[in-house]
Amino acid sequence: MRICVIGGGLCGLVAAERLTARFDIEILERNPVLGGCLGSFRKQEYMLENFYHHCFPNDTAFFSLLDMLGLSADLRWFHGSTGSFENGKVFPLTTAREILRYPALSLVEKARLALLTLRAGSIDLAPLDQVSATEYIIDRLGDRVYREFFEPLLRSKFGDARTDVSAAWLISRIAIRSHRGAAGEKLGYPNGGFQRVIDALEKKIRTAGGSIRTGTPVTGMRRTNGTWEVNGESYGAVISTIPPHMLAAIGGPPAPVIPYQGACCLAIGLEREITDGVYWVNMKEAAPYGAVIAHTNFAPRQWYGEDIIYLASYFTGCPAPDVERRMLADFRERFHVQPGEIHWTHLSTECLAGPVYVRGYRDNIPAYRENGLYFAGMFSRPNYPERSMEGSVRAGSDVAAEVLARGE
Ligand SMILES: Cc1cc2nc3c(=O)[nH]c(=O)nc-3n(C[C@H](O)[C@H](O)[C@H](O)COP(=O)(O)OP(=O)(O)OC[C@H]3O[C@@H](n4cnc5c(N)ncnc54)[C@H](O)[C@@H]3O)c2cc1C
């Protein structure tokens, strides 16, 4: 049977790899290259992700994928430190001592925050899906902890949509990110970057006889005589990895709208280190970017021969006009960077960068099979309440297992 996989991101590639031995698989990807949100660009001698990426110690499905692709030995573990930029400087917030020294919160507020962090992993998330993160934090930790600590974090992650986000998202996020030692969180990154995972998947699929068509957006589909017609070609089954409501817009079955947000990342190659050794710096003050992510304060600088940072911002709808110029001008002024210290810049924009985990999101998560179609992606259950590479690997494997179980 001929199966069409819509989308050549991580989820589509994983599903296709699992199925190529049994079926005639064809991946249709709108972009000229594979990878979706995990795509990369070439810079001189190295590849770099369009959007900052790292994996976490409990990403077990992702590790199994690396094993299968023969890449496990290339995964390196580093410490990811965090900080906050305020009043013109970076406040490191990684170690207990640094947090104790942080002036914006009182000792009691810090103790309450520490307690929530310790408990986060054991909190039942189901009822929190209906509660707003803002209300939850203000109720439990007070207005000041929200304003000084959580609001900048939510703003950097969700922009204007931050007050709609559920407490389930926030608590799960705290739980994931609280596995940290004295030097910070343990985060993984492969030697050569995540593009190696995409390349290895592509090679496996092609070697097994699967077909991959990049630069091929799906613009129309319809059901005819028990089969699906996609872009005018007939398939026995379709696995869609794009948001179900986007599929509905091009002829797929009706689906509830899952709110998505966009992301802009401006990668910058630099002459020198900028964030006092900290990997992830949240901007407490309003800026055209919510975080500065210093890639080479995480992955070794010698891999690249220069410092690399990302300025990251999330948006709803369309990115702000002139976003690259505004980000760069603000960054140069705020961090005192001279034009000659900038080697290059690379802007990446993705309008479907991830679901916004608004209240009630859980009830709208689509099943893997609905209306005779297969669905899997960032909107699937393993990506709730935080989308990740791990979640998309699981969703891709799960949907492939559904297809195999039906033997279609
Ligand atoms: C800024 C940012 C930072 C991130 N950081 C991390 C991180 O540090 N750690 C982590 O684990 N995860 C991170 N993620 C999440 C991770 O990248 C995603 O969860 C994962 O890559 C999603 O894969 P996917 O295949 O489900 O979706 P996508 O990557 O969105 O793939 C969908 C594919 O469908 C294609 N497509 C869309 N419409 C059509 C159409 N009409 N026709 C054909 N093709 C179409 C798209 O081009 C895309 O390639 C990050 C994501 C972003 C945006």
Side-chain angles (χ1 to χ4, degrees):
M1 182 180 60
R2 198 170 176 222
I3 299 181
C4 175
V5 177
I6 304 178
L10 187 58
C11 182
L13 291 172
V14 167
E17 193 282 326
R18 302 280 198 265
L19 294 170
T20 24
R22 284 275 303 276
F23 301 103
D24 182 5
I25 296 291
E26 185 151 66
I27 300 177
L28 304 183
E29 165 56 49
R30 74 175 168 180
N31 288 338
V33 293
L34 295 173
C37 289
L38 188 55
S40 297
F41 62 99
R42 175 159 288 288
K43 204 69 226 160
Q44 288 125 16
E45 295 306 306
Y46 60 83
M47 295 293 282
L48 186 71
E49 293 73 26
N50 293 321
F51 304 104
Y52 59 85
H53 270 82
H54 47 243
C55 62
F56 300 93
N58 45 3
D59 286 353
T60 52
F62 185 68
F63 302 149
S64 302
L65 176 72
L66 292 184
D67 250 353
M68 188 273 287
L69 298 172
L71 295 175
S72 290
D74 291 299
L75 184 64
R76 303 288 157 84
W77 291 97
F78 304 106
H79 287 289
S81 51
T82 51
S84 170
F85 188 88
E86 47 196 276
N87 302 323
K89 61 181 270 205
V90 175
F91 283 85
L93 288 170
T94 305
T95 64
R97 179 182 287 190
E98 285 165 354
I99 294 169
L100 280 172
R101 276 206 303 248
Y102 183 53
L105 297 179
S106 71
L107 256 176
V108 174
E109 287 165 337
K110 285 172 194 167
R112 282 201 218 122
L113 184 56
L115 206 62
L116 179 74
T117 307
L118 286 174
R119 285 187 49 230
S122 58
I123 296 176
D124 179 12
L125 297 181
L128 297 190
D129 191 52
Q130 297 292 341
V131 178
S132 110
T134 302
E135 281 168 30
Y136 184 87
I137 293 298
I138 293 177
D139 269 8
R140 277 162 186 77
L141 304 184
D143 191 47
R144 227 165 72 97
V145 178
Y146 176 73
R147 235 180 328 106
E148 299 290 337
F149 193 82
F150 284 101
E151 218 245 346
L153 197 144
L154 283 163
R155 187 166 4 94
S156 82
K157 200 72 193 146
F158 294 105
D160 291 342
R162 64 187 174 278
T163 49
D164 301 330
V165 171
S166 78
W169 177 82
L170 186 65
I171 295 300
S172 78
R173 182 84 185 168
I174 295 173
I176 295 173
R177 315 271 332 220
S178 58
H179 299 291
R180 52 178 66 223
E185 230 176 334
K186 207 172 134 197
L187 301 173
Y189 189 83
N191 192 351
F194 286 102
Q195 181 62 30
R196 294 192 58 206
V197 178
I198 301 298
D199 289 344
L201 277 166
E202 177 180 7
K203 190 168 169 204
K204 275 226 159 226
I205 294 164
R206 288 196 194 274
T207 307
S211 146
I212 300 176
R213 283 154 68 180
T214 51
T216 310
V218 171
T219 51
M221 66 181 298
R222 63 187 183 125
R223 188 104 167 125
T224 48
N225 305 325
T227 61
W228 285 100
E229 218 176 74
V230 179
N231 284 0
E233 290 189 40
S234 181
Y235 297 91
V238 175
I239 299 173
S240 173
T241 69
I242 67 174
H245 63 279
M246 300 295 289
L247 195 73
I250 52 175
V257 174
I258 295 175
Y260 265 69
Q261 64 175 348
C264 273
C265 271
L266 184 64
I268 308 178
L270 286 162
E271 188 62 29
R272 66 178 168 94
E273 201 280 313
I274 287 294
T275 55
D276 299 340
V278 179
Y279 170 49
W280 187 291
V281 178
N282 282 315
M283 298 302 294
K284 189 153 173 201
E285 298 152 12
Y289 42 92
V292 181
I293 297 140
H295 183 71
T296 41
N297 284 344
F298 164 57
R301 186 190 195 276
Q302 64 266 28
W303 284 1
Y304 308 95
E306 59 188 341
D307 282 280
I308 298 168
I309 60 148
Y310 292 96
L311 304 180
S313 115
Y314 287 90
F315 59 87
T316 346
C318 299
D322 210 9
V323 63
E324 177 166 3
R325 191 196 55 75
R326 291 177 58 237
M327 277 184 169
L328 199 56
D330 184 284
F331 169 69
R332 282 197 39 217
E333 191 182 327
R334 225 180 269 267
F335 290 86
H336 313 292
V337 177
Q338 300 306 312
E341 293 178 318
I342 295 178
H343 297 168
W344 53 264
T345 62
H346 181 95
L347 181 73
S348 302
T349 304
E350 170 57 64
C351 294
L352 299 171
V356 182
Y357 297 99
V358 294
R359 276 175 289 171
Y361 179 94
R362 239 163 97 102
D363 296 337
N364 281 333
I365 297 177
Y368 285 122
R369 187 170 195 273
E370 273 178 19
N371 300 311
L373 273 171
Y374 293 93
F375 293 95
M378 284 198 280
F379 47 82
S380 295
R381 194 154 293 275
N383 270 313
Y384 174 85
E386 174 65 348
R387 58 104 169 91
S388 62
M389 295 182 281
E390 170 75 6
S392 285
V393 171
R394 281 184 190 275
S397 307
D398 288 354
V399 81
E402 285 264 331
V403 174
L404 287 168
R406 285 175 179 268
E408 284 182 82

